[in-house]
Amino acid sequence: GKASPISRSWEKLRSENRDILFIRAGVRVSRNWDILLCSIAYLEASIAAVSPLCARDPYFSLTSKINHDYCSPDTVNSWLQSTGRNRVFDVPVFLRSCVFFRHAALASLGTELWNFSDDTLAQALWAKGWTLVGSESVYVDDSDVPWEQHDDALEAREDVVDFLFNHPLTGLRW
């Protein structure tokens, strides 16, 4: 796949020694979405990246099919709070439209990540012992952001097929 905007940005941000919150233009968010993602990232020392739930990506979508209907992030987040689940689940990828990265995780990959695709970056973090998580307590609406498929090689992996078949959001989805 092509180089990730996150990987390309890292070259400029590496010396800042700060965590990175990446969000694509057109993503609609709710109040405190950034604070929630940051607080989840520090629940465990092994967490590299935290992704919210969304409208489009099958790994993080609140619907079982790609959804183009607009749902206000504030409304959906209120509903999520009312379900009381607030679970954090391991996931093999991160949400390309909105993700929080811990600086230490990206720094652990050294200087080579400038040309990584999103899915290659995710796999490199896993290989170093980091975890990628999704959060049931934050939703962003990325229905207006251009959609890109995940890498075919990733999608064919047995553990990824199993993840999608036994999706952690199954009980929450509509």
Side-chain angles (χ1 to χ4, degrees), residues 52-106:
L53 303 184
C54 70
R56 308 263 319 261
D57 189 307
Y59 293 88
F60 304 98
S61 174
L62 263 176
T63 56
S64 49
K65 296 184 178 71
I66 289 179
N67 183 22
H68 298 285
D69 299 333
Y70 172 68
C71 289
S72 152
D74 281 323
T75 303
V76 176
N77 279 301
S78 293
W79 176 76
L80 288 171
Q81 305 302 305
S82 74
T83 67
R85 282 173 48 135
N86 290 336
R87 283 190 322 146
V88 171
F89 55 94
D90 285 7
V91 69
V93 296
F94 55 82
L95 182 61
R96 294 170 170 153
S97 58
C98 178
V99 60
F100 180 96
F101 280 103
R102 285 177 51 183
H103 179 273
L106 292 175

Side-chain angles (χ1 to χ4, degrees), residues 6 30 35 47 52 59 85 117 123-124 129 133 151 153:
I6 294 163
S30 63
I35 296 163
I47 295 175
Y59 293 88
R85 282 173 48 135
S117 72
Q123 298 317 297
V133 300
D151 292 348

Side-chain angles (χ1 to χ4, degrees), residues 2-167:
K2 63 181 187 220
S4 162
I6 294 163
S7 296
R8 290 195 316 267
S9 302
W10 177 244
E11 201 56 35
K12 296 178 183 74
L13 299 169
R14 191 172 34 168
S15 63
E16 298 276 325
N17 199 18
R18 290 187 199 163
D19 297 330
I20 296 173
L21 186 54
F22 181 83
I23 185 165
R24 290 184 67 168
V27 174
R28 290 182 286 266
V29 298
S30 63
R31 290 182 301 282
N32 298 333
W33 65 281
D34 49 347
I35 296 163
L36 285 166
L37 290 179
C38 178
S39 63
I40 293 159
Y42 284 91
L43 288 175
E44 286 181 30
S46 64
I47 295 175
V50 183
S51 300
L53 303 184
C54 70
R56 308 263 319 261
D57 189 307
Y59 293 88
F60 304 98
S61 174
L62 263 176
T63 56
S64 49
K65 296 184 178 71
I66 289 179
N67 183 22
H68 298 285
D69 299 333
Y70 172 68
C71 289
S72 152
D74 281 323
T75 303
V76 176
N77 279 301
S78 293
W79 176 76
L80 288 171
Q81 305 302 305
S82 74
T83 67
R85 282 173 48 135
N86 290 336
R87 283 190 322 146
V88 171
F89 55 94
D90 285 7
V91 69
V93 296
F94 55 82
L95 182 61
R96 294 170 170 153
S97 58
C98 178
V99 60
F100 180 96
F101 280 103
R102 285 177 51 183
H103 179 273
L106 292 175
S108 73
L109 299 180
T111 57
E112 292 305 305
L113 71 92
W114 65 271
N115 64 351
F116 283 9
S117 72
D118 288 321
D119 291 335
T120 305
L121 176 57
Q123 298 317 297
L125 288 165
W126 276 103
K128 286 273 189 185
W130 294 96
T131 56
L132 309 174
V133 300
S135 168
E136 289 185 5
S137 55
V138 190
Y139 170 85
V140 299
D141 179 17
D142 60 356
S143 55
D144 289 341
V145 175
W147 170 248
E148 294 168 35
Q149 282 295 119
H150 287 279
D151 292 348
D152 289 340
L154 172 90
E155 300 260 285
R157 274 188 14 208
E158 194 175 328
D159 61 320
V160 174
V161 171
D162 189 54
F163 173 88
L164 290 170
F165 184 74
N166 300 300
H167 204 291

